[in-house]
Amino acid sequence: MNINPDEEFEQYLKDPIDPELKALFEEAEACLQRYDAKSKQVKQLNQQMQDMTFSLDLECAEWKYEIYSGNRNYLEDNSN
C-alpha cells in the first residue's frame, strides 16, 4: 500500500481499511481521552493540594506568631 505522508495518511488513520486496525485506533483514541480526563483531574487535585498547603502554612505562621507574641508578653509581664 502506497500512502502519501500528508492527507492520505491522515485519512487512513481516520478510516483504516483493516477492521482490526480500525478497532485498535478506536481503542487508542478512547485510552487517550481517558488519559486526558485523568490528567485534568490530577491537575485539579494538585491545585487543591497546593491551595491547602498554602492555607496550612499560613495557619501555622499565625500560630507561631501567637505563641511568639504570647511568650514575649509573658516574659515582659514577669520581668517586673
Side-chain angles (χ1 to χ4, degrees):
M1 176 175 11
N2 188 9
I3 298 175
N4 291 335
D6 295 328
E7 294 176 15
E8 287 183 32
F9 185 67
E10 286 296 322
Q11 182 59 36
Y12 178 75
L13 289 177
K14 291 178 184 176
D15 188 25
I17 298 168
D18 183 2
E20 288 181 31
L21 190 56
K22 183 175 183 174
L24 285 174
F25 284 165
E26 290 170 354
E27 184 178 342
E29 180 65 29
C31 287
L32 181 60
Q33 289 175 0
R34 287 193 305 271
Y35 172 82
D36 288 343
K38 290 289 183 183
S39 178
K40 184 177 180 180
Q41 184 181 19
V42 166
K43 287 177 184 177
Q44 289 172 345
L45 290 172
N46 183 39
Q47 184 62 48
Q48 288 176 357
M49 287 179 59
Q50 287 178 350
D51 293 346
M52 291 172 74
T53 301
F54 178 74
S55 177
L56 185 59
D57 285 346
L58 183 59
E59 195 170 331
C60 287
E62 289 173 351
W63 290 343
K64 288 178 183 179
Y65 176 77
E66 289 174 10
I67 291 169
Y68 172 76
S69 64
N71 284 340
R72 186 173 173 203
N73 290 337
Y74 176 77
L75 291 173
E76 288 174 359
D77 292 343
N78 289 327
S79 66
N80 295 334

